[in-house]
Amino acid sequence: MNINIELRHLRYFIAVAEELHFGRAAERLNISQPPLSQQIQSLEANIKAKLLARNNRTVTLTPAGHMFLKEAYQILSQVDAAATKAARMQQGELGEISIGFTSTTPFMHKVALSLRQFRERYPDVSVHMHQMNTKTQIAPLQTGRIDIGIMRNTLLPDNLQHRLLFRERFMLAVYDGHPLLERVNEGITIKVLSKYPLVFFERDVGTALYDEIIALFISAGVSPMISQEAGEAMTILGLVAAGLGISIVTESFIRMKIDGVQYIPLAHTSVHSEVWLVNHKKRQNNPAVERLTDLLLSNIYS
């Protein structure tokens, strides 16, 4: 059966079915009565069913008309709902976002603030967080499995681009009573640290931070004495608190309140760890991603 029904046919039929009067329905639709009658007749011929019983005085719904009216309401309701969803999607109020993030990202104040504000403003957007180190974010960014990545500075392929979110100073994490606490006023340099056991990220976990911290030692002309390695930031600080070594971390670690751990600024180094927002150059982001990106950048530079 080849049926060609337009939405206006449904609206015309609903108006007549509700008014049960062609004249009033035509006035309500702002059209003349003869074209309205012709459209209803065309609709009935198209679907091969009598929807209205009419004579010179009355218009009533047939059993088929009652059923068709109920279905027509549902169809128009679905169309309206689809239009509303499309408009909200265009405004970034609906949709999904997949975000890659490093283990320290939740402790970056302005990033955490942006994510919380976004959830409050756009509760109908589904945000999917995927923890992965800097270098393992690159492949899913290229394939589209994640929309944006929050990562440390690293070498990116040509099809990815970055925007700087902020720079973090390097800090020294030590346990209570550590001898270095007595030398804070003198300024603690990288060369001094080569004498102390170091708790460090595993190479395949904190890839960018690992490379950056090793570069600090190389630039100072010394080698680190790595005594322990761990895969999680909290584990590293826990090992520091247990007295198994010291660690070089970034400022965001300070927000991790671990009993027995104190933080000391490093002296005589202008090197910072950069935190980037990374996305694909050519893939068009959905509007919700753009909303979150704008929020992240506005909070970082506020």
Side-chain angles (χ1 to χ4, degrees):
M1 181 183 294
N2 186 17
I3 298 177
N4 183 21
I5 301 176
E6 299 179 19
L7 293 180
R8 62 188 176 90
H9 291 140
L10 300 182
R11 293 190 175 95
Y12 290 168
F13 170 72
I14 288 172
V16 176
E18 291 179 344
E19 299 292 342
L20 294 178
H21 192 281
F22 275 87
R24 290 195 298 270
E27 184 177 352
R28 168 174 153 182
L29 295 167
N30 199 27
I31 61 175
S32 59
Q33 184 173 332
L36 176 59
S37 297
Q38 292 172 2
Q39 292 295 333
I40 296 298
Q41 290 171 0
S42 174
L43 173 63
E44 290 177 322
N46 199 354
I47 65 175
K48 297 180 173 57
K50 193 75 169 174
L51 302 177
L52 298 167
R54 46 205 183 271
N55 55 39
N56 292 335
R57 293 185 177 182
T58 62
V59 176
T60 57
L61 285 168
T62 65
H66 279 290
M67 182 278 297
F68 192 79
L69 178 61
K70 185 182 298 184
E71 298 291 335
Y73 281 141
Q74 292 181 0
I75 292 169
L76 289 184
S77 176
Q78 290 173 348
V79 170
D80 289 343
T84 299
K85 286 182 178 179
R88 294 189 68 201
M89 179 78 75
Q90 183 64 37
Q91 294 300 317
E93 298 174 359
L94 280 180
E96 294 187 1
I97 305 176
S98 291
I99 304 171
F101 70 100
T102 61
S103 61
T104 56
T105 298
F107 301 99
M108 299 171 185
H109 172 66
K110 290 192 174 182
V111 174
L113 174 64
S114 298
L115 291 172
R116 184 169 68 248
Q117 289 177 338
F118 185 84
R119 294 295 301 140
E120 291 170 351
R121 296 179 191 180
Y122 307 106
D124 294 326
V125 176
S126 297
V127 178
H128 307 286
M129 304 293 292
H130 306 277
Q131 182 178 329
M132 53 186 76
N133 69 42
T134 289
K135 292 183 180 178
T136 55
Q137 291 187 44
I138 291 175
L141 280 167
Q142 291 180 302
T143 61
R145 189 168 75 85
I146 59 176
D147 299 303
I148 54 176
I150 300 172
M151 63 175 69
R152 302 281 175 180
N153 46 301
T154 191
L155 183 65
L156 293 176
D158 291 340
N159 58 356
L160 298 184
Q161 63 184 0
H162 80 276
R163 278 166 285 189
L164 176 66
L165 288 178
F166 52 87
R167 294 181 175 90
E168 288 193 299
R169 291 184 302 160
F170 286 100
M171 308 288 289
L172 184 63
V174 301
Y175 53 84
D176 284 344
H178 194 281
L180 285 174
L181 290 170
E182 300 174 2
R183 302 180 58 175
V184 172
N185 294 333
E186 303 171 24
I188 298 172
T189 65
I190 293 294
K191 282 189 175 182
V192 171
L193 300 185
S194 64
K195 304 173 184 177
Y196 295 94
L198 195 68
V199 181
F200 216 49
F201 277 104
E202 293 174 355
R203 180 64 183 84
D204 59 348
V205 176
T207 53
L209 271 181
Y210 184 102
D211 292 343
E212 289 175 338
I213 295 170
I214 289 295
L216 289 177
F217 281 92
I218 292 174
S219 65
V222 295
S223 298
M225 187 191 345
I226 301 175
S227 63
Q228 302 285 334
E229 290 187 341
E232 294 291 336
M234 295 294 287
T235 304
I236 288 174
L237 295 179
L239 293 174
V240 170
L244 296 179
I246 62 175
S247 187
I248 298 177
V249 297
T250 56
E251 286 179 280
S252 54
F253 279 68
I254 296 176
R255 299 189 71 218
M256 304 182 204
K257 305 300 183 182
I258 304 293
D259 289 342
V261 176
Q262 297 191 42
Y263 299 94
I264 308 170
L266 287 173
H268 312 306
T269 177
S270 59
V271 179
H272 292 75
S273 178
E274 293 186 350
V275 177
W276 289 355
L277 181 66
V278 179
N279 67 285
H280 198 283
K281 286 181 180 178
K282 296 183 179 179
R283 186 177 299 110
Q284 184 176 1
N285 286 327
N286 69 58
V289 174
E290 296 300 326
R291 291 273 190 176
L292 178 57
T293 297
D294 291 344
L295 186 57
L296 278 164
L297 294 174
S298 65
N299 278 336
I300 294 303
Y301 294 108
S302 61

